[in-house]
Amino acid sequence: MAMALALSPAIALAQSSAPAVFADTQLPDPAQEAAAKTLMETLRCVVCQGQSIADSDATMAGDMRALVRQRIQAGESPVAIRDWLIARYGDYISYDPPLSAATSLLWATPVLLLGLGIWIARASFRRRR
């Protein structure tokens, strides 16, 4: 019991992680901050999965915001940062995944559903005549 009480502060400190330096700090250059913000809004939080990293409060999203800001500040282009994140986390991290064999069904589904809806509506109108 005494050992558990003695180790509890160490365990609590090990589980809490400090937020990344640029997670919630804007860049001094407004143009760089605007580019970073635009990019962050197009990237999905890998923890929340329903929010962008710009909107998420998850620690991982904070780390990703910091990474984006650091790389933008270092002069890297948003496209290069996005490509690196996609290579690291996969197409799912992007709200606008590239067209590939893996995402072709995702891109084709709206067109297929629209065609199906038109076909059903047309058949329904023909029956009424």
Side-chain angles (χ1 to χ4, degrees), residues 4-125:
L5 288 174
L7 290 177
S8 63
I11 293 170
L13 286 174
Q15 289 179 348
S16 67
S17 61
V21 177
F22 285 117
D24 298 313
T25 305
Q26 293 186 352
L27 295 172
D29 182 4
Q32 285 182 333
E33 180 60 29
K37 184 75 169 166
T38 301
L39 177 59
M40 288 185 281
E41 289 172 352
T42 66
L43 299 172
R44 186 186 318 266
C45 175
V46 294
V47 175
C48 305
Q49 298 180 359
Q51 292 180 306
S52 69
I53 63 170
D55 300 329
S56 176
D57 291 331
T59 304
M60 180 69 171
D63 291 343
M64 291 174 74
R65 285 193 303 270
L67 179 109
V68 167
R69 284 187 173 118
Q70 287 169 345
R71 287 182 169 226
I72 291 280
Q73 190 175 37
E76 208 170 326
S77 75
V79 173
I81 298 167
R82 179 186 173 85
D83 290 344
W84 182 82
L85 287 168
I86 288 173
R88 184 173 180 146
Y89 295 105
D91 290 333
Y92 185 75
I93 197 165
S94 174
Y95 278 119
D96 187 21
L99 182 59
S100 67
T103 62
S104 60
L105 184 60
L106 175 70
W107 284 100
T109 299
V111 175
L112 294 173
L113 289 176
L114 180 63
L116 179 66
I118 291 171
W119 182 73
I120 290 171
R122 188 173 171 206
S124 176
F125 289 136

